Amino acid sequence: MIDTQIEMTDKIGYLLLKKGIIDHKILEQALRIKDSDQTKLKRNLAQILVEEFSFDHDTIFREVAILYAFKELIFHSDELSEEQLTEIKNVMSRQGDDVKKMLLEHRVIPFRFDEKVKDKLILAAVDPTDRNLAKIAYTLNAKKYEINYIKKKDYEKLISQIVSSENEYLKMIQEAGEEIQVVQEETISEDELDAEINKSALINLVEASLVEGVRKGVSDIHLIPKSGNKTEIHFRLDGKLMLWHTQESTLPEAVMAVVKDRSKGLDRFERERAQDGFIQREIDGHIIRFRVSVLPTVGTELKNKFESIVIRILDDRKVIRDLGKLGLTGYANTAFVKAISQPQGMIILTGPTGSGKSTTLIAALYQVINPTKNVLTVEDPVEYVIEGARQLKIGLKMNFEQAIRAILRHDPDIVLVGEMRDKETAETAIKLANTGHLTFSTLHTNDAPSAVARLFKMGVEPFLIAYAINIIVAQRLIRKLCDNCKKKIVNLEEHILPSGLDIKDWAGHDIYDAVGCEKCNHTGYKGRMAIHEALYFTKEIRRLIVRAGEEVDEESIREQARKDGTHSLRDSGFEKVKMGLTSIQEVIGATMED
């Protein structure tokens, strides 16, 4: 009877319930939200499930497309010709920037005209139930139209191809046809500098670098001052810095002043100390945040006050919520899932800056967050917004250490401590893990066993280390081979293997080398993936730590971990080589020998 009532109330809800995608409790909650929405947002149940309950968009809307007989547009973005891409760009831009912005906002692409029906436009929509699609079709002057469903990930790949070549700020610089010049003065006059900046195209250059960085999937933008009135702008792509633009005949101070002016929290006139700020922009319909770090540097000319600026791109679309997409395999995956499934204890991620520790921690948090848990995070600075967590704000009136102490009094169930920086932070985090809380944190060490030694040297008692920690995972990011140009090694016997590798271990596996092509900027690599070393705290590992005297025996822990099933970072990398995902050279370069 209840099912019949639901079917009459909401066909989408009934279908998703029958298929086991949602349960009765979630459906009832979603229907209540839908009822309260009717006078305002008028969202349907599918939209509510994705926006309010964090269900995977494509899982929900594929069922919606089937229910309402929307055709699914299935294609590979690489298959589209330049002519097809150009035609889509033309249709999107024909009615002006406002219409283009509307298309991006509602995630719909005028894909093509129907070959069989004259003047019939095929619209590819991520949400085919969007009430604005009829208005969009009318705005595009489509006499007839048909809505097709397109997966979110396919839309994002396609839209990146369509808009990537159109950087409006670069276009403005080119159309202006002017060289950006700021005249060298014996001493910097702030008024003259300000006047020069305002009348030049420097602002467009800085904005162009932000847009281009996001579209190219860059992690960091580096602005580096050089002698002779030059500033270099580098992009870090797949872990490697590459030169994007050199600004000639311009005072580096002028370029840096523009970045500071366009950032919050930075003092443009301060050039003697380190500063941290942030920028927020809407790019291609998405809110993107940028973390800005400014450091004073030494130049060859005394009259210059040089500063280096690094801008970290924080794109929430890159947040991984599915543990299966982290690249954890075998023992590492089993041990990690077991560790985060415990009601209490500590999960530590270790590795250098930029090794993807935060990405892994956030994915793990999303596995354990639910409305019955009070999840608190202390990070300085906060990188990504985590739905369902209360993220403490670090500032002048509450620093990192004060927040850590305060968190104990805020009735937490799950805690994320961004980094264990010192003994006080480490002891507080371990105290949380020992008093019934599931605690996540990071350390900077080379591998998992050395993290134990690091905590020991901080002054944390061996007993606390042994019984508070569930798992320590060391992580590195290595580059993936470009699928377009990677080359299979035909005769492995003739290929020179590094010392210590036995050719017998590689028999029966397809091993590839990097080549280089236009799609990967001639590097041979495109994208990155993680490799892991998981030290799960078994009884034997705990016993070794408790028995430690004046120093932790890392080698004994390492040996026991191998017996338990742990793979070293290098062995984990070699597993990826045997899967055809990366090269031997890349793994050797990114890891240390045991």
Side-chain angles (χ1 to χ4, degrees):
M1 181 68 183
I2 294 172
D3 283 354
T4 307
Q5 288 174 346
I6 292 170
E7 184 177 13
M8 290 172 65
T9 307
D10 198 291
K11 289 183 180 179
I12 296 172
Y14 181 75
L15 174 71
L16 296 173
L17 183 68
K18 280 294 183 186
K19 291 203 170 187
I21 295 170
I22 61 174
D23 59 28
H24 273 96
K25 184 179 177 182
I26 288 174
L27 179 55
E28 287 169 7
Q29 290 173 346
L31 286 171
R32 279 198 292 271
I33 294 172
K34 183 186 172 187
D35 288 340
S36 66
D37 258 12
Q38 291 313 297
T39 56
K40 297 177 288 182
L41 301 175
K42 295 187 178 180
R43 291 178 297 179
N44 61 46
L45 199 84
Q47 292 163 342
I48 290 166
L49 288 169
V50 172
E51 292 168 18
E52 302 290 340
F53 294 86
S54 301
F55 277 87
D56 178 68
H57 182 100
D58 291 337
T59 301
I60 299 295
F61 276 96
R62 193 166 190 278
E63 297 300 332
V64 171
I66 293 168
L67 176 65
Y68 292 114
F70 290 110
K71 290 179 186 175
E72 182 178 348
L73 199 59
I74 300 173
F75 71 100
H76 292 289
S77 55
D78 293 342
E79 294 173 357
L80 295 180
S81 65
E82 281 299 321
E83 290 78 13
Q84 287 173 300
L85 290 172
T86 302
E87 179 58 26
I88 295 172
K89 290 177 193 174
N90 291 340
V91 175
M92 287 185 72
S93 304
R94 202 171 286 152
Q95 307 299 326
D97 290 341
D98 288 343
V99 174
K100 183 178 176 182
K101 186 178 179 182
M102 183 168 62
L103 288 164
L104 291 169
E105 184 182 334
H106 291 279
R107 293 184 294 182
V108 56
I109 293 174
F111 190 68
R112 59 179 168 82
F113 284 94
D114 196 307
E115 295 171 358
K116 297 177 182 177
V117 182
K118 188 181 178 183
D119 296 330
K120 183 180 180 181
L121 182 63
I122 306 296
L123 292 173
V126 169
D127 177 3
T129 65
D130 189 332
R131 294 171 180 270
N132 292 281
L133 292 178
K135 179 185 175 183
I136 289 169
Y138 175 79
T139 307
L140 292 171
N141 293 327
K143 295 177 181 176
K144 302 170 189 170
Y145 69 93
E146 178 184 312
I147 298 167
N148 285 187
Y149 161 65
I150 183 173
K151 288 180 183 172
K152 185 181 173 187
K153 62 178 182 179
D154 290 339
Y155 166 83
E156 287 173 352
K157 281 183 184 176
L158 180 55
I159 205 68
S160 69
Q161 285 182 281
I162 293 166
V163 300
S164 61
S165 59
E166 296 179 9
N167 188 324
E168 58 191 286
Y169 297 103
L170 283 178
K171 190 177 176 183
M172 286 163 70
I173 294 170
Q174 291 161 1
E175 287 176 353
E178 61 178 297
E179 286 190 13
I180 307 170
Q181 292 187 345
V182 178
V183 182
Q184 174 76 44
E185 298 287 343
E186 285 302 311
T187 56
I188 299 170
S189 163
E190 298 294 350
D191 290 338
E192 290 181 30
L193 193 61
D194 193 49
E196 289 294 335
I197 290 166
N198 288 335
K199 73 180 184 184
S200 74
L202 274 182
I203 292 170
N204 287 337
L205 176 65
V206 170
E207 293 293 341
S209 70
L210 300 180
V211 173
E212 205 72 2
V214 170
R215 289 177 177 171
K216 287 181 179 291
V218 169
S219 63
D220 300 88
I221 302 168
H222 289 239
L223 291 92
I224 307 166
K226 296 287 182 180
S227 298
N229 295 344
K230 284 197 302 186
T231 304
E232 291 181 354
I233 302 177
H234 293 253
F235 285 169
R236 187 177 291 280
L237 188 61
D238 295 337
K240 303 291 182 184
L241 281 174
M242 51 177 277
L243 180 65
W244 177 68
H245 177 80
T246 301
Q247 185 53 48
E248 307 271 2
S249 306
T250 305
L251 275 174
E253 288 92 336
V255 180
M256 305 310 169
V258 170
V259 177
K260 289 178 182 179
D261 281 348
R262 306 192 77 70
S263 307
K264 289 188 178 180
L266 297 181
D267 180 357
R268 173 193 167 166
F269 303 104
E270 175 59 68
R271 298 191 181 96
E272 303 284 339
R273 66 178 176 87
Q275 297 188 75
D276 291 300
F278 72 95
I279 300 170
Q280 186 164 297
R281 293 286 182 273
E282 183 176 323
I283 297 174
D284 301 333
H286 295 275
I287 299 297
I288 309 292
R289 289 173 297 119
F290 303 85
R291 195 177 73 215
V292 185
S293 170
V294 184
L295 282 176
T297 57
V298 176
T300 56
E301 298 159 12
L302 293 175
K303 55 194 163 191
N304 287 111
K305 290 188 176 180
F306 281 172
E307 291 170 297
S308 168
I309 291 182
V310 174
I311 303 171
R312 167 65 57 90
I313 299 174
L314 302 172
D315 188 344
D316 288 323
R317 291 173 295 178
K318 293 182 179 179
V319 171
I320 296 173
R321 299 190 183 198
D322 182 358
L323 270 185
K325 294 178 181 178
L326 286 177
L328 285 156
T329 55
Y331 177 79
N333 185 56
T334 305
F336 193 68
V337 171
K338 186 178 178 182
I340 68 172
S341 301
Q342 302 298 320
Q344 66 185 64
M346 193 162 205
I347 291 88
I348 299 175
L349 265 289
T350 186
T353 302
S355 58
K357 299 187 296 294
S358 295
T359 299
T360 301
L361 282 183
I362 291 170
L365 266 183
Y366 272 117
Q367 305 309 300
V368 296
I369 285 176
N370 68 61
T372 69
K373 305 288 184 186
N374 176 18
V375 182
L376 300 175
T377 77
V378 186
E379 305 161 87
D380 186 19
V382 172
E383 290 198 350
Y384 296 103
V385 175
I386 303 168
E387 292 174 27
R390 305 178 206 178
Q391 296 176 268
L392 275 63
K393 188 175 182 180
I394 305 301
L396 293 172
K397 295 185 178 180
M398 184 175 72
N399 62 27
F400 190 83
E401 289 69 29
Q402 289 168 332
I404 288 288
R405 288 196 296 272
I407 214 168
L408 288 163
R409 302 187 294 273
H410 212 68
D411 188 30
D413 295 297
I414 299 168
V415 178
L416 168 64
V417 177
E419 183 186 344
M420 290 187 287
R421 304 172 174 184
D422 49 38
K423 182 184 177 183
E424 185 183 9
T425 307
E427 283 186 336
T428 306
I430 284 174
K431 183 179 178 182
L432 281 161
N434 259 330
T435 52
H437 306 90
L438 191 61
T439 309
F440 297 83
S441 193
T442 68
L443 266 177
H444 289 278
T445 60
N446 287 327
D447 63 3
S450 60
V452 176
R454 172 77 186 280
L455 289 169
F456 189 84
K457 287 171 185 173
M458 277 183 178
V460 182
E461 290 293 329
F463 179 86
L464 290 174
I465 297 171
Y467 290 98
I469 298 171
N470 294 349
I471 196 170
I472 300 175
V473 179
Q475 180 167 316
R476 293 291 185 283
L477 290 178
I478 58 173
R479 292 179 296 169
K480 294 168 68 176
L481 285 166
C482 173
D483 288 328
N484 188 58
C485 66
K486 67 181 182 181
K487 182 182 178 184
K488 184 179 174 182
I489 299 172
V490 179
N491 193 341
L492 198 59
E493 287 79 5
E494 294 178 3
H495 192 78
I496 300 172
L497 289 174
S499 61
L501 296 186
D502 189 345
I503 199 165
K504 293 175 186 174
D505 295 336
W506 299 82
H509 297 282
D510 290 336
I511 312 301
Y512 293 85
D513 246 348
V515 179
C517 65
E518 286 187 9
K519 288 195 174 181
C520 60
N521 289 320
H522 301 285
T523 63
Y525 298 91
K526 192 170 179 64
R528 289 191 293 174
M529 61 184 169
I531 54 174
H532 304 90
E533 175 190 40
L535 173 61
Y536 188 80
F537 275 46
T538 58
K539 288 181 181 178
E540 291 76 15
I541 294 289
R542 296 187 198 279
R543 195 175 295 123
L544 283 170
I545 296 169
V546 169
R547 290 176 180 173
E550 294 183 0
E551 195 170 331
V552 170
D553 187 346
E554 289 183 44
E555 198 49 50
S556 295
I557 294 174
R558 210 169 268 117
E559 186 59 37
Q560 182 59 50
R562 285 196 194 97
K563 291 177 184 176
D564 293 334
T566 297
H567 281 185
S568 68
L569 282 165
R570 181 161 285 190
D571 287 340
S572 175
F574 286 151
E575 287 298 314
K576 297 290 196 287
V577 175
K578 290 173 182 176
M579 292 164 68
L581 298 173
T582 190
S583 68
I584 293 173
Q585 290 78 11
E586 176 67 10
V587 173
I588 296 289
T591 59
M592 296 170 61
E593 288 189 69
D594 296 343

